[in-house]
Amino acid sequence: MTTGIAARFAAAMDDLLGAAVPAPRLAVALSGGADSSCLAILSHEWAVARGGSVVALIADHGLRAGSAAEAALSARRMAGLGIATEIVTLDIPSGAALQERARDARHKALADRAAGQGAIWLLFGHHAGDQAELRAMRARRGPGGAVGMARFAGRHGVVLVRPLLGEDPATLRDELRRRGIGWVEDPSNADPRFERARIRAAGIEITGAGDCPTGAAWVWQDEEDGAAGFLARHARLHPAGYATLTAGAVPRAVLAALIRVIGGAVYNANSDSVARLAHDLRPATLGGVRITRWARRECWLLCREPASCAPPVAAAAGAVWDRRFRIRAVPAGARTIGALGEAAAAFRSRTGLPGAVLRGLPAFFDGGRVVAVPHCDRGPSAFLMFHPPGAAAPLRWHDADGEVGSGARGVAGGARG
């Protein structure tokens, strides 16, 4: 029988990743504590039920005695549950801002290993208590600083996912006790030298709605909620990596998200520039994205600026080009993948796409010869997946035959975590 927390977790994952995602391959950041241990178990059950798998990644900083033994213990616990585990050993030089440097090194190392394991998604066990503490810490830094963690965010070539942000930490511990599974307690969580520990010791209310912001954060959350509806009514994101808009004034969150996704960026473009364009769209280039009128379709067109595209890379399954396209399979004879560029003229009559879109399309080459342009041919999804770093996957996109894919919130959110 599915427990309450397992059902809520499944609903959160279906919302974040898309209910129909096939055979998901997930990586879980495992500290060995109660939160990440519960996350690993719930993730494993969710993925296996969908024909997928999970790898738990343990980062051992070596910053305190016993960390290696705790990592080994946590790995054994996961192995006993049938969850594959890998320990990533870090070497963090001593010096100033050690905690911050250790956190950054951990995120980068875990993301690298997740990608190396074929996992697009890297899950973290942050819960409602962590969210409340973070907001309290940020609120002390001045007005507008109380924004918490996003449920998903692109970082280091993978998508960070936090499906437990709505859960009380006590619920996670109760679930492990119910299953008879132990965990490791990190003594630094109660060390008053650290601001988070002091905030925790002072006591803070946990509302249970961990990803529901308060105070100044409502402004952005309201924009994101409105963005999803606006996207559905006025925007179309195409699997070839461009978008069309049928409105001349756009919510700031929509324009920022589209520029981020089409440009393959992790973070939003300059907010002032986005705000000016959102109020009154006009031809411009921002964040590696060209904004122009598409007279034939009577709409606005947002596409990758061809001059901003990445250089060609070797064509191999799993390789990523321009931070936006992941290769599923390589056409016969192809050696590299890059922007179609000047060869676009030969494809104009076949697609009716503007030259700016065509020149930035991914194409497979053998030397100077074009082998294939998947988005000008049939079945582009057999060769490429449009998955930029600043969006959760799968994205919602459209083509001439109608909607393909799911997960519109992958476009509207994900740049602030």
Side-chain angles (χ1 to χ4, degrees):
M1 178 178 178
T2 303
T3 64
I5 188 173
R8 293 194 301 275
F9 179 82
M13 291 292 285
D14 288 347
D15 179 51
L16 288 166
L17 274 63
V21 61
R25 175 63 169 165
L26 310 177
V28 175
L30 178 66
S31 69
D35 314 325
S36 62
S37 295
C38 192
L39 172 68
I41 294 166
L42 294 172
S43 301
H44 173 69
E45 293 173 350
W46 182 87
V48 169
R50 289 156 180 77
S53 60
V54 163
V55 58
L57 302 175
I58 303 173
D60 177 17
H61 299 91
L63 297 180
R64 57 183 177 82
S67 64
E70 291 173 358
L73 173 60
S74 298
R76 290 195 298 272
R77 281 175 174 154
M78 292 297 110
L81 298 169
I83 301 174
T85 308
E86 179 179 344
I87 298 175
V88 181
T89 303
L90 306 179
D91 183 13
I92 312 296
S94 59
L98 181 60
Q99 294 297 318
E100 291 80 0
R101 288 190 289 108
R103 181 195 61 228
D104 292 344
R106 178 176 73 251
H107 278 220
K108 179 65 166 62
L110 292 177
D112 287 347
R113 289 310 305 143
Q117 292 275 1
I120 296 173
W121 299 288
L122 173 60
L123 278 59
F124 285 84
H126 298 112
H127 49 63
D130 295 323
Q131 185 77 297
E133 290 164 4
L134 180 62
R135 288 208 186 98
M137 292 164 60
R138 288 179 172 175
R140 297 170 67 181
R141 288 155 172 75
V147 178
M149 293 175 277
R151 292 198 299 163
F152 50 79
R155 193 79 52 78
H156 301 306
V158 298
V159 179
L160 311 188
V161 185
R162 302 181 179 98
L164 298 178
L165 278 181
E167 297 291 339
D168 189 300
T171 304
L172 306 179
R173 285 161 172 73
D174 288 345
E175 179 66 12
L176 290 181
R177 293 188 187 100
R178 187 188 71 80
R179 295 171 180 253
I181 298 171
W183 63 84
V184 172
E185 290 288 0
D186 184 349
S188 66
N189 288 333
D191 191 332
R193 291 178 299 172
F194 304 121
E195 182 183 17
R196 184 179 289 275
R198 295 194 298 272
I199 291 285
R200 184 176 299 136
I204 188 168
E205 181 182 0
I206 300 174
T207 65
D211 64 341
C212 180
T214 58
W218 275 112
V219 175
W220 187 268
Q221 185 66 38
D222 283 347
E223 287 195 20
E224 282 193 354
D225 290 343
F230 185 94
L231 280 165
R233 294 189 302 272
H234 299 291
R236 293 293 182 267
L237 179 65
H238 296 254
Y242 68 93
T244 55
L245 281 171
T246 57
V250 186
R252 180 185 62 173
V254 167
L255 187 59
L258 287 174
I259 291 174
R260 184 185 73 243
V261 168
I262 295 168
V266 172
Y267 299 106
N268 288 339
N270 179 275
S271 58
D272 290 338
S273 299
V274 171
R276 286 193 294 270
L277 281 173
H279 178 69
D280 182 19
L281 275 182
R282 57 189 180 278
T285 299
L286 182 62
V289 173
R290 179 181 295 186
I291 302 172
T292 186
R293 283 292 298 176
W294 190 353
R296 179 179 175 183
R297 298 283 183 90
E298 297 184 344
C299 64
W300 285 96
L301 171 69
L302 286 77
C303 64
R304 186 77 162 118
E305 169 59 47
S308 298
C309 288
V313 299
V320 175
W321 174 72
D322 201 38
R323 303 189 304 274
R324 301 179 303 138
F325 292 97
R326 185 179 299 274
I327 300 177
R328 293 181 182 271
V330 179
R335 296 169 54 193
T336 62
I337 181 173
L340 181 57
E342 296 305 316
F347 295 85
R348 185 78 179 263
S349 61
R350 293 170 52 179
T351 66
L353 291 174
V357 174
L358 284 171
R359 289 194 297 275
L361 286 182
F364 289 95
F365 294 88
D366 178 12
R369 181 178 67 90
V370 177
V371 174
V373 186
H375 294 98
C376 292
D377 304 318
R378 289 184 174 273
S381 61
F383 296 103
L384 294 171
M385 176 175 63
F386 177 53
H387 183 246
L395 298 174
R396 183 181 297 279
W397 60 65
H398 297 72
D399 61 17
D401 299 319
E403 184 176 302
V404 184
S406 63
R409 288 192 66 87
V411 180
R416 296 176 291 113

